[in-house]
């Protein structure tokens, strides 16, 4: 009987980082959309509440591989010095469903989320965008700074967080890069070309009137119907781009609550695949909002690129 574990590639966090960087991950995600993959075909994930948080099971199947992520969400982990979201990821041969690789799912998540943001904002942000405001000072906040710098000539960064000390430490970590970086406030949105929301907030982080018409925003913080980072009044005047109509209707609290408040209609939503393929034009005359909850196909697209990169 074959030793399944021995035959698998095992990529820990360091090995995954060595195989694939943010720009390549972003290309893999955009290429999947442009090749015709429809995120609405992605199998729904299951979310189970447990004593200390949630268990998420995220399957996907396209291309040469299928994949399965087991992720956990533990809200108290940051106080323990641990990632709030942790995971393992298994890649399977699409035909035989035999295990091919085991990946550090935490690092995969920390990579694919900002890569997805970069893939889409690269299509909808002004080419000269140089000012960035990031809400959230955890791993996703910091990786999103790196992601935005990979697609635009970012010169000024303001980090906004609930914990002043943590925000100052995040600023110190970025200060060595030569950026104009400082702890900011919600008011800095008024001068921002790009805004990233990567928090656990359940209420809007800033006033909708602060956002200028040419700004591009991404909200990645929640996958719950009753949690939001963006005000409904912003979505009312923005082009709202979502991963899939199904996920937007069932998991994207920013969208769901805006619809319930009468600020937005589901018919107004633009699936990101239609932006990536050029089927829908970018609305340059108003804010562009990208709302993501995280989907299985995104993990698989990045995992495939990492595996193929190793073969190359």
């Amino acid at each position: 009987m074959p030793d399944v574990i021995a035959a698998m590639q095992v990529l820990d966090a360091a090995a995954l980082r060595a195989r694939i960087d943010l720009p390549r991950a972003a290309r893999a995600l955009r290429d999947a959309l442009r090749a015709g993959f429809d995120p609405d075909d992605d199998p729904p994930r299951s979310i189970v509440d447990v004593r200390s948080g949630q268990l998420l099971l995220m399957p996907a199947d396209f291309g040469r591989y299928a994949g399965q992520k087991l992720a956990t969400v533990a809200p108290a982990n940051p106080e323990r010095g641990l990632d709030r979201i942790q995971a393992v990821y298994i890649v399977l041969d699409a035909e035989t469903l035999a295990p091919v690789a085991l990946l550090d799912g935490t690092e995969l998540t920390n990579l694919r989320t900002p890569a997805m943001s970069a893939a889409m904002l690269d299509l909808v942000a002004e080419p000269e965008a140089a000012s960035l405001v990031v809400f959230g000072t955890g791993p996703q906040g910091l990786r999103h700074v790196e992601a935005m710098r990979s697609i635009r000539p970012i010169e000024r960064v303001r980090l906004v967080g609930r914990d002043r000390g943590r925000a100052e430490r995040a600023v110190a970590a970025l200060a060595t890069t030569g950026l104009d970086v400082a702890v900011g406030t919600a008011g800095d949105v008024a001068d921002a070309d790009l805004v990233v929301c990567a928090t656990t907030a359940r209420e809007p982080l800033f006033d909708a009137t602060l956002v200028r018409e040419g700004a591009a925003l991404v909200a990645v913080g929640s996958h719950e119907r009753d949690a939001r980072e963006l005000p409904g009044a912003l979505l009312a005047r923005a082009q709202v781009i979502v991963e899939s109509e199904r996920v937007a209707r069932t998991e994207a609290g920013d969208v769901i609550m805006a619809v319930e408040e009468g600020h937005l209609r589901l018919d107004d939503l633009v699936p990101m695949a239609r932006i990536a393929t050029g089927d829908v034009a970018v609305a340059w005359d108003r804010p562009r909002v990208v709302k993501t909850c995280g989907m299985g196909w995104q993990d698989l697209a990045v995992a495939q690129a990492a595996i193929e990169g190793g073969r190359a």
Side-chain angles (χ1 to χ4, degrees), residues 21 54 64 89 107 132 150 153 168 174 177-178 240 243 246 289 299:
D21 59 10
Q54 294 178 323
R64 295 181 58 181
Y89 195 85
E107 179 62 23
L132 168 66
S150 74
E168 290 175 345
L174 293 171
T177 63
V240 181
E243 291 159 305
R246 169 177 55 81
V289 168
D299 293 305

Side-chain angles (χ1 to χ4, degrees), residues 266-288:
L266 290 173
D267 289 345
D268 296 328
L269 302 176
V270 180
M272 59 172 56
R274 302 198 67 195
I275 293 288
T277 59
D279 290 341
V280 173
V282 177
W284 297 107
D285 60 337
R286 51 194 169 121
R288 281 81 61 200

Side-chain angles (χ1 to χ4, degrees), residues 233-262:
L234 170 62
L235 274 62
R237 65 184 180 95
Q239 183 179 40
V240 181
I241 301 162
V242 297
E243 291 159 305
S244 84
E245 293 177 356
R246 169 177 55 81
V247 169
R249 290 194 311 268
T250 58
E251 297 185 24
D254 300 82
V255 170
I256 293 166
M257 285 187 272
V259 170
E260 291 173 346
E261 294 163 354

Side-chain angles (χ1 to χ4, degrees), residues 124-150:
V124 304
E126 294 172 325
E128 67 278 10
S131 175
L132 168 66
V133 173
V134 177
F135 289 86
T137 56
Q140 282 298 335
L142 292 175
R143 293 299 292 272
H144 270 82
V145 175
E146 180 186 351
M148 296 304 101
R149 294 187 73 192
S150 74

Side-chain angles (χ1 to χ4, degrees), residues 33 113-125 144 148 151 194-198 215-222 229-230 234-235 238-244 248 252 254-255 269-273 275-276 282 287-294 298:
L33 295 174
T113 303
M116 190 73 258
S117 297
M120 292 313 300
L121 289 188
D122 195 23
L123 300 176
V124 304
H144 270 82
M148 296 304 101
I151 61 167
L194 300 176
V195 178
V196 171
C197 299
L217 306 88
V218 62
V220 305
S222 84
E229 298 175 288
L230 304 176
L234 170 62
L235 274 62
Q239 183 179 40
V240 181
I241 301 162
V242 297
E243 291 159 305
S244 84
D254 300 82
V255 170
L269 302 176
V270 180
M272 59 172 56
I275 293 288
V282 177
R288 281 81 61 200
V289 168
V290 178
K291 170 57 191 169
T292 66
C293 296
Q298 298 161 6

Side-chain angles (χ1 to χ4, degrees), residues 130 132-134 145 154-159 174 179-182:
L132 168 66
V133 173
V134 177
V145 175
I154 301 299
E155 299 173 355
R156 181 178 186 269
V157 178
R158 294 295 177 262
L159 298 179
L174 293 171
L179 285 169
D180 171 7
V181 57

